[in-house]
Amino acid sequence: MKRLAILLLFSFVGIVHAQHMDNDKLELIIKKNADTLDGIPGNWKFIYKEIPMLCVTDETNNRMRIISPITSSDRLDKDLLLDAMTANFHSALDVKYAITNKILWSVYIHPLKELTNEQVNSAISQVYYAAKTFGTTFSSTELIFGAGSIKEKPKDATPEEKIYKF
């Protein structure tokens, strides 16, 4: 009986602390972080530390993504693509590099309702760092996992003709 009471108590505490993120709360968090914000609920464009980002949500299907364009995928060589895929395992952490519509993006995807304020703040930061460090450390934070991690490359290791920021 005591065990059941403890289990119920912990279950209740989890419910009380549940975030239940929605577009209104998400917009307030983005506003606090962004230099500029434009758009409609569930489809925002914003600038964070001079990096353009988009946030798209689908409340009905409980999805959210924050993304930042990095470069045209046509301009990437095999080595950069391999480095990006390696980074997805070691150094990009919660953010991934992904290609769609011939654009390489820094992408954070998560169920919307379960997001916490801290996760949104972290997502914005990680999308920023992954976009900013593409071509050098390919990292979303200073933390890098694994022995196969990409080592920092000299600034001239990624020629401008292969990568450009949108």
Side-chain angles (χ1 to χ4, degrees), residues 2 12 20 27 51 59 71 81 84 100 115 163:
K2 186 175 180 180
F12 179 71
H20 299 295
E27 184 172 13
I51 298 292
E59 285 184 315
T71 190
L81 287 172
T100 188
L115 274 170
I163 298 177

mmCIF file of all heavy atoms in Angstrom, residues 2 12 20 27 51 59 71 81 84 100 115 163:
data_model
loop_
_atom_site.group_PDB
_atom_site.id
_atom_site.type_symbol
_atom_site.label_atom_id
_atom_site.label_comp_id
_atom_site.label_asym_id
_atom_site.label_seq_id
_atom_site.Cartn_x
_atom_site.Cartn_y
_atom_site.Cartn_z
ATOM 1 N N LYS A 2 1.941 1.213 0.805
ATOM 2 C CA LYS A 2 2.855 2.363 0.886
ATOM 3 C C LYS A 2 3.504 2.616 -0.482
ATOM 4 O O LYS A 2 3.667 3.747 -0.910
ATOM 5 C CB LYS A 2 3.909 2.093 1.947
ATOM 6 C CG LYS A 2 4.805 3.265 2.220
ATOM 7 C CD LYS A 2 5.747 2.952 3.360
ATOM 8 C CE LYS A 2 6.647 4.110 3.655
ATOM 9 N NZ LYS A 2 7.568 3.848 4.750
ATOM 10 N N PHE A 12 1.581 12.159 -9.757
ATOM 11 C CA PHE A 12 0.920 13.446 -9.628
ATOM 12 C C PHE A 12 1.923 14.585 -9.809
ATOM 13 O O PHE A 12 1.635 15.569 -10.477
ATOM 14 C CB PHE A 12 0.230 13.550 -8.268
ATOM 15 C CG PHE A 12 -0.459 14.863 -8.051
ATOM 16 C CD1 PHE A 12 -1.619 15.174 -8.749
ATOM 17 C CD2 PHE A 12 0.054 15.800 -7.167
ATOM 18 C CE1 PHE A 12 -2.253 16.391 -8.560
ATOM 19 C CE2 PHE A 12 -0.562 17.014 -6.978
ATOM 20 C CZ PHE A 12 -1.731 17.316 -7.669
ATOM 21 N N HIS A 20 3.047 21.326 -21.249
ATOM 22 C CA HIS A 20 1.946 21.589 -22.184
ATOM 23 C C HIS A 20 2.206 22.839 -23.017
ATOM 24 O O HIS A 20 1.448 23.791 -23.014
ATOM 25 C CB HIS A 20 0.603 21.686 -21.451
ATOM 26 C CG HIS A 20 0.253 20.420 -20.735
ATOM 27 N ND1 HIS A 20 0.007 19.241 -21.395
ATOM 28 C CD2 HIS A 20 0.154 20.143 -19.416
ATOM 29 C CE1 HIS A 20 -0.255 18.291 -20.513
ATOM 30 N NE2 HIS A 20 -0.160 18.806 -19.303
ATOM 31 N N GLU A 27 5.791 31.318 -28.713
ATOM 32 C CA GLU A 27 6.053 32.649 -29.270
ATOM 33 C C GLU A 27 6.684 33.577 -28.236
ATOM 34 O O GLU A 27 7.618 34.332 -28.559
ATOM 35 C CB GLU A 27 4.759 33.267 -29.810
ATOM 36 C CG GLU A 27 4.981 34.613 -30.481
ATOM 37 C CD GLU A 27 3.753 35.145 -31.182
ATOM 38 O OE1 GLU A 27 2.643 34.622 -30.969
ATOM 39 O OE2 GLU A 27 3.912 36.100 -31.966
ATOM 40 N N ILE A 51 21.680 35.198 -37.256
ATOM 41 C CA ILE A 51 21.400 33.967 -37.996
ATOM 42 C C ILE A 51 19.891 33.862 -38.211
ATOM 43 O O ILE A 51 19.123 33.897 -37.244
ATOM 44 C CB ILE A 51 21.913 32.722 -37.238
ATOM 45 C CG1 ILE A 51 23.422 32.762 -37.058
ATOM 46 C CG2 ILE A 51 21.467 31.439 -37.920
ATOM 47 C CD1 ILE A 51 24.233 32.610 -38.340
ATOM 48 N N GLU A 59 0.132 22.100 -34.000
ATOM 49 C CA GLU A 59 -0.457 21.766 -32.706
ATOM 50 C C GLU A 59 -1.323 20.507 -32.797
ATOM 51 O O GLU A 59 -1.340 19.704 -31.873
ATOM 52 C CB GLU A 59 -1.288 22.940 -32.172
ATOM 53 C CG GLU A 59 -0.435 24.073 -31.648
ATOM 54 C CD GLU A 59 -1.234 25.192 -31.024
ATOM 55 O OE1 GLU A 59 -2.254 25.616 -31.609
ATOM 56 O OE2 GLU A 59 -0.827 25.652 -29.939
ATOM 57 N N THR A 71 23.381 26.577 -46.303
ATOM 58 C CA THR A 71 23.917 26.782 -47.638
ATOM 59 C C THR A 71 23.135 25.931 -48.639
ATOM 60 O O THR A 71 22.370 25.046 -48.253
ATOM 61 C CB THR A 71 25.422 26.420 -47.703
ATOM 62 O OG1 THR A 71 25.957 26.851 -48.947
ATOM 63 C CG2 THR A 71 25.669 24.947 -47.523
ATOM 64 N N LEU A 81 29.772 16.748 -46.623
ATOM 65 C CA LEU A 81 28.603 15.923 -46.311
ATOM 66 C C LEU A 81 28.947 14.833 -45.303
ATOM 67 O O LEU A 81 28.188 14.569 -44.369
ATOM 68 C CB LEU A 81 28.024 15.311 -47.587
ATOM 69 C CG LEU A 81 27.282 16.282 -48.492
ATOM 70 C CD1 LEU A 81 26.930 15.612 -49.817
ATOM 71 C CD2 LEU A 81 26.021 16.791 -47.806
ATOM 72 N N ALA A 84 29.295 16.384 -41.909
ATOM 73 C CA ALA A 84 27.983 16.713 -41.349
ATOM 74 C C ALA A 84 27.305 15.462 -40.790
ATOM 75 O O ALA A 84 26.715 15.494 -39.703
ATOM 76 C CB ALA A 84 27.100 17.375 -42.400
ATOM 77 N N THR A 100 16.819 19.495 -47.517
ATOM 78 C CA THR A 100 15.538 19.448 -48.214
ATOM 79 C C THR A 100 15.482 20.631 -49.168
ATOM 80 O O THR A 100 16.050 21.692 -48.892
ATOM 81 C CB THR A 100 14.336 19.447 -47.245
ATOM 82 O OG1 THR A 100 13.135 19.206 -47.998
ATOM 83 C CG2 THR A 100 14.193 20.757 -46.500
ATOM 84 N N LEU A 115 7.536 20.025 -24.783
ATOM 85 C CA LEU A 115 8.665 20.951 -24.669
ATOM 86 C C LEU A 115 8.607 21.748 -23.370
ATOM 87 O O LEU A 115 7.540 22.166 -22.933
ATOM 88 C CB LEU A 115 8.645 21.965 -25.817
ATOM 89 C CG LEU A 115 9.305 21.597 -27.115
ATOM 90 C CD1 LEU A 115 8.965 22.624 -28.179
ATOM 91 C CD2 LEU A 115 10.794 21.459 -26.961
ATOM 92 N N ILE A 163 30.717 26.874 -49.305
ATOM 93 C CA ILE A 163 29.745 27.195 -48.272
ATOM 94 C C ILE A 163 29.503 28.696 -48.265
ATOM 95 O O ILE A 163 30.440 29.465 -48.310
ATOM 96 C CB ILE A 163 30.252 26.807 -46.873
ATOM 97 C CG1 ILE A 163 30.497 25.319 -46.772
ATOM 98 C CG2 ILE A 163 29.262 27.238 -45.804
ATOM 99 C CD1 ILE A 163 31.068 24.921 -45.445
#
